[in-house]
Amino acid sequence: FCLMAAPGKVAAFRLPPLPTIGEIIKLFRLKALKQLSQNFLLDLRLTEKIVKQAGELKNAHVCEVGPGPGGITRSILSAGVEQLLLIEKDARFIPGLQMLSEAAPGKVRIVHGDILTYKMEKAFPKHLKKNWEDEPPDIHIIGNLPFSVSTPLIIKWLENVSKRDGPFIYGRTQMTLTFQKEVGERLTANPGSNQRSRLSIMAQHLCMVENCFIIPGQAFVPKPEVDVAVVHLTPLVQPKIQQPFELVEKVVQSVFQFRRKYCFRGIETLFPENGRLKRTEQLMMTADVDPTLRPFQLSMSQFRNLCNVYRKMCDEDPSLFVFNYREELRQKKKARSLLGSTGQPEQTEEENQL
């Protein structure tokens, strides 16, 4: 990682006159790369609106993910932050960000690196740490994320929330992030909504999730084919499902495996073929979940019951948790091909879906 512009303390401050974001793009011949799903936001009224959703930033420490040409960066600096850490993967943007760093002496630190691998445990001063039960620390994560990164990144951060590590080693660090409109709807979807998905449960059981506002696609350069949602997430003091992240993710993923079928079908995939039906019935009956509900109809308390009962079953039989349904399917398919065609269909509908 390449570190530039060492941090320091300065008095209340205002950015000097600078080239516009459009001029920066021309000056450094920047072009949004389709393969990195980059889209620039040039309207400073919109960048200010995003930054306002983060809350009070005066004297706060902020990490901006993927600042690009620096539109949101300017709005963050104008909010009077104490320190701003910029993490940018694309080297083409570093000179423009360096210009901003020089305009805000001592306030900006630029890291040329990938947010998916950057160690955020040491990103902020230790004195900012708060207990988990306290108010969130004076630390904020803000980012107009490329669509290709947004979902894997939020899943990674939700796991960090669950384990209280990464950027959440400092306490309940708040996040204000952009997502494709559809992903934003999934993050906030209620039971019964068609957008209810694995992401809904994983986010809502760990965080308070607020879909703040929608930015129309035409506000970006180049214009994406979809609109963009600005989402604010604050980790909860107590998760709604008090089980390890990996266990919750496995149960939720299994339930949503066949989202158009009864939830019974997805839950079956938690168990090996031998005794599958009996164990599925036992899990659903003990968890008090109607097997004819569709996955998107299940409430958070029903997911909690399923996870708690599945945990007890795993404690009684540790081989259960490591069981992998897809691997079982692969082995069956391999065995069939070794035996030669016996008139059976090559793949079941479920195998195709998986």
Side-chain angles (χ1 to χ4, degrees), residues 67-126:
I72 294 176
T73 315
R74 294 183 186 208
S75 296
I76 295 170
L77 286 168
S78 298
V81 297
E82 176 77 17
Q83 285 290 309
L84 175 57
L85 168 64
L86 303 175
I87 300 176
E88 178 54 65
K89 185 179 179 180
D90 191 335
R92 297 174 307 142
F93 296 119
I94 301 296
L97 296 173
Q98 188 68 45
M99 184 187 286
L100 267 179
S101 172
E102 287 159 11
K107 277 189 180 281
V108 180
R109 186 157 54 105
I110 303 168
V111 172
H112 176 211
D114 187 342
I115 188 62
L116 286 167
T117 54
Y118 180 68
K119 304 282 183 219
M120 290 197 70
E121 290 85 347
K122 294 177 181 172
F124 304 104
K126 284 181 184 174

Side-chain angles (χ1 to χ4, degrees), residues 141-312:
I141 298 171
I142 299 174
N144 173 29
L145 306 174
F147 295 154
S148 59
V149 170
S150 60
T151 304
L153 184 58
I154 195 61
I155 289 288
K156 173 184 157 70
W157 277 343
L158 289 170
E159 184 171 2
N160 290 144
V161 170
S162 175
K163 295 175 178 175
R164 301 182 187 181
D165 60 12
F168 308 98
I169 204 164
Y170 302 92
R172 297 184 297 120
T173 301
Q174 297 176 80
M175 298 168 275
T176 308
L177 307 166
T178 62
F179 297 91
Q180 257 175 278
K181 184 184 171 190
E182 191 182 288
V183 177
E185 286 169 353
R186 280 186 209 149
L187 282 162
T188 53
N190 293 317
S193 159
N194 279 336
Q195 294 286 16
R196 185 83 159 169
S197 65
R198 172 182 79 124
L199 202 51
S200 320
I201 310 303
M202 298 311 293
Q204 292 169 33
H205 106 83
L206 289 161
C207 295
M208 187 171 77
V209 191
E210 184 190 354
N211 204 335
C212 305
F213 65 96
I214 302 297
I215 303 175
Q218 62 257 34
F220 293 87
V221 177
K223 176 180 177 272
E225 290 171 14
V226 293
D227 293 338
V228 171
V230 176
V231 179
H232 185 75
L233 300 100
T234 308
L236 296 167
V237 174
Q238 288 291 347
K240 290 180 181 168
I241 304 171
Q242 298 203 13
Q243 295 295 349
F245 183 86
E246 292 83 0
L247 185 138
V248 178
E249 189 174 41
K250 186 178 183 186
V251 171
V252 173
Q253 219 164 10
S254 297
V255 171
F256 280 101
Q257 197 125 232
F258 304 105
R259 62 172 292 117
R260 299 190 185 282
K261 300 194 174 187
Y262 293 146
C263 63
F264 186 92
R265 181 65 195 91
I267 290 168
E268 277 188 317
T269 64
L270 287 167
F271 303 107
E273 194 169 24
N274 185 18
R276 177 170 288 153
L277 186 63
K278 187 182 171 188
R279 280 172 144 175
T280 306
E281 286 173 347
Q282 180 195 342
L283 172 55
M284 301 208 72
M285 201 179 295
T286 314
D288 193 24
V289 173
D290 179 350
T292 64
L293 288 173
R294 311 279 178 191
F296 60 87
Q297 294 175 307
L298 296 185
S299 67
M300 187 62 77
S301 62
Q302 286 170 317
F303 273 106
R304 180 171 58 237
N305 291 351
L306 287 169
C307 290
N308 290 343
V309 176
Y310 179 64
R311 170 68 185 269
K312 280 182 185 167

